[in-house]
Amino acid sequence: LYSIKEQIKSLEKLVNMGFYNPIILKNSYVDYYQTVKTTIDLDNLNKAESENSLDVRVSLFYLINNTVSDIDSARLLNLLWLKAKEINIEKAIYAISMNSINSITPQRELSWFTYPVARALISNNKLEEAKNWLFFINSDLKDRVVLDLNFCKTLLLLYLVDSDLKKSNLEIPDVSFLLKVLYNSLEVKKENIYRLMITFKALNYEVAPNLWENFYNKFENYSSSSNINNTNLFLILEQSLEKRNLAETIFIVIDLLNSSNKEQLNFYYLYKSIYSLNNIGLREYARKLSLEINLGL
């Protein structure tokens, strides 16, 4: 009914949503490359940065897995991830890239690769490996955060999924400090910062009071969009949390998130969803959801 090409493009999206195992996509890429290898000019592939077709993505994946140079592998991985980001299949491509990532060791010549690879590792819950990349350059971390916005963003993503990050031997700046650095930057949308603040509050992190003042001044009426049905839903959710009714809590959270997607991301829905999962014992899922919502930072 559908061509192999269309099936693989659909598979990319399904793997990205978590419905299929990444190994299936990886094997499909390998098989599909055999059908297009005579039509792709591998020597000019790096120059075709404006093109983003399945043929190009599959060919880049082939090159990555047949390159012995760490620098070449990193360059090709970065290009593939950029193409994945363009069509919102980052998580799927990150997942099938893990073997290639593991073959590359942190080194100063690859300092430009630090943040893309750290994001890929964090997305796959490879937190220690992500830390190896982030911290292999010894420097004052607060100074580095202030001078390097990408480092600040990556640390915040790491905080979302690593509940033990603050317990490490490194003097890692706290969440409030990192959020303040982002807030003072003109490069980050305020909505993205507010979404992070709400997420961290739901995960029981402290956020500086002056940041909340700015948030309330900007979004003083943000909760007014909740209709009466969702108001009732919140009341039921509170009862479910009190009764420790796991199944009911999960179904209500799914309903809230679905409602939020239709109306864009409602901050209150986001807070109640993550807070509920975190406080009913599903802390790992709460953190995974937090990362998924903020990964595009």
Side-chain angles (χ1 to χ4, degrees):
L1 185 60
Y2 295 100
S3 68
I4 293 297
K5 188 170 187 175
E6 291 304 315
Q7 289 181 44
I8 296 176
K9 287 164 69 175
S10 297
L11 182 60
E12 289 176 322
K13 296 176 183 177
L14 291 169
V15 171
N16 197 70
M17 292 186 285
F19 293 132
Y20 280 84
N21 193 310
I23 293 175
I24 300 174
L25 178 61
K26 183 177 180 179
N27 292 337
S28 297
Y29 265 35
V30 172
D31 292 341
Y32 184 70
Y33 177 73
Q34 299 305 314
T35 69
V36 299
K37 62 181 181 181
T38 59
T39 64
I40 296 290
D41 184 356
L42 296 180
D43 291 333
N44 291 322
L45 199 59
N46 296 332
K47 300 176 184 178
E49 293 190 10
S50 60
E51 184 181 353
N52 189 3
S53 65
L54 177 64
D55 292 5
V56 169
R57 294 193 295 278
V58 166
S59 299
L60 281 170
F61 188 71
Y62 168 81
L63 279 178
I64 290 164
N65 287 284
N66 289 274
T67 301
V68 295
S69 163
D70 280 0
I71 293 177
D72 287 342
S73 293
R75 178 169 47 79
L76 292 166
L77 276 168
N78 193 51
L79 180 56
L80 178 59
W81 293 339
L82 288 173
K83 293 186 180 301
K85 185 175 182 179
E86 288 177 5
I87 55 174
N88 298 316
I89 58 167
E90 283 175 281
K91 289 172 61 181
I93 303 304
Y94 284 159
I96 67 173
S97 303
M98 291 310 299
N99 286 342
S100 300
I101 293 173
N102 291 335
S103 70
I104 305 173
T105 56
Q107 50 193 285
R108 287 189 174 274
E109 290 80 3
L110 292 175
S111 58
W112 58 271
F113 187 58
T114 296
Y115 305 123
V117 73
R119 290 172 69 89
L121 289 164
I122 291 170
S123 177
N124 282 277
N125 203 36
K126 303 295 184 182
L127 304 185
E128 292 307 314
E129 292 87 341
K131 292 175 193 176
N132 288 339
W133 276 94
L134 282 174
F135 305 127
F136 84 92
I137 297 177
N138 293 322
S139 61
D140 183 286
L141 296 184
K142 277 198 171 183
D143 284 347
R144 189 173 167 193
V145 163
V146 173
L147 296 172
D148 190 342
L149 202 61
N150 285 321
F151 183 59
C152 180
K153 291 179 182 179
T154 310
L155 278 184
L156 283 166
L157 294 180
L158 192 56
Y159 260 116
L160 288 177
V161 291
D162 188 356
S163 58
D164 295 324
L165 182 60
K166 200 59 182 173
K167 298 177 183 177
S168 66
N169 294 326
L170 297 164
E171 295 183 3
I172 300 174
D174 61 31
V175 165
S176 281
F177 181 86
L178 298 173
L179 287 172
K180 285 179 183 178
V181 171
L182 279 195
Y183 193 88
N184 291 328
S185 169
L186 298 178
E187 299 178 31
V188 184
K189 292 181 180 179
K190 290 295 185 285
E191 288 78 4
N192 291 342
I193 300 171
Y194 295 142
R195 185 163 59 241
L196 271 171
M197 288 167 51
I198 293 291
T199 303
F200 279 116
K201 179 177 176 61
L203 293 173
N204 298 321
Y205 285 89
E206 292 290 331
V207 177
N210 63 315
L211 288 176
W212 288 121
E213 290 175 13
N214 295 328
F215 170 76
Y216 293 133
N217 290 335
K218 180 72 175 178
F219 290 99
E220 56 184 358
N221 297 318
Y222 77 93
S223 63
S224 61
S225 62
S226 299
N227 59 36
I228 187 64
N229 291 330
N230 281 332
T231 300
N232 291 336
L233 202 60
F234 291 135
L235 294 175
I236 298 171
L237 179 58
E238 290 298 329
Q239 292 179 344
S240 299
L241 288 172
E242 288 179 10
K243 294 184 295 184
R244 310 301 294 172
N245 190 325
L246 188 62
E248 194 171 67
T249 299
I250 291 172
F251 282 123
I252 295 173
V253 165
I254 292 172
D255 195 351
L256 286 175
L257 290 174
N258 285 338
S259 300
S260 187
N261 287 337
K262 294 174 184 176
E263 307 168 9
Q264 298 183 335
L265 193 60
N266 180 292
F267 287 129
Y268 190 60
Y269 295 1
L270 170 63
Y271 170 75
K272 291 300 290 186
S273 298
I274 295 175
Y275 173 85
S276 300
L277 292 175
N278 194 51
N279 285 275
I280 199 130
L282 297 175
R283 294 180 181 85
E284 182 179 348
Y285 291 98
R287 289 182 177 275
K288 285 182 178 179
L289 175 60
S290 300
L291 178 64
E292 184 171 343
I293 289 171
N294 292 282
L295 189 59
L297 179 65

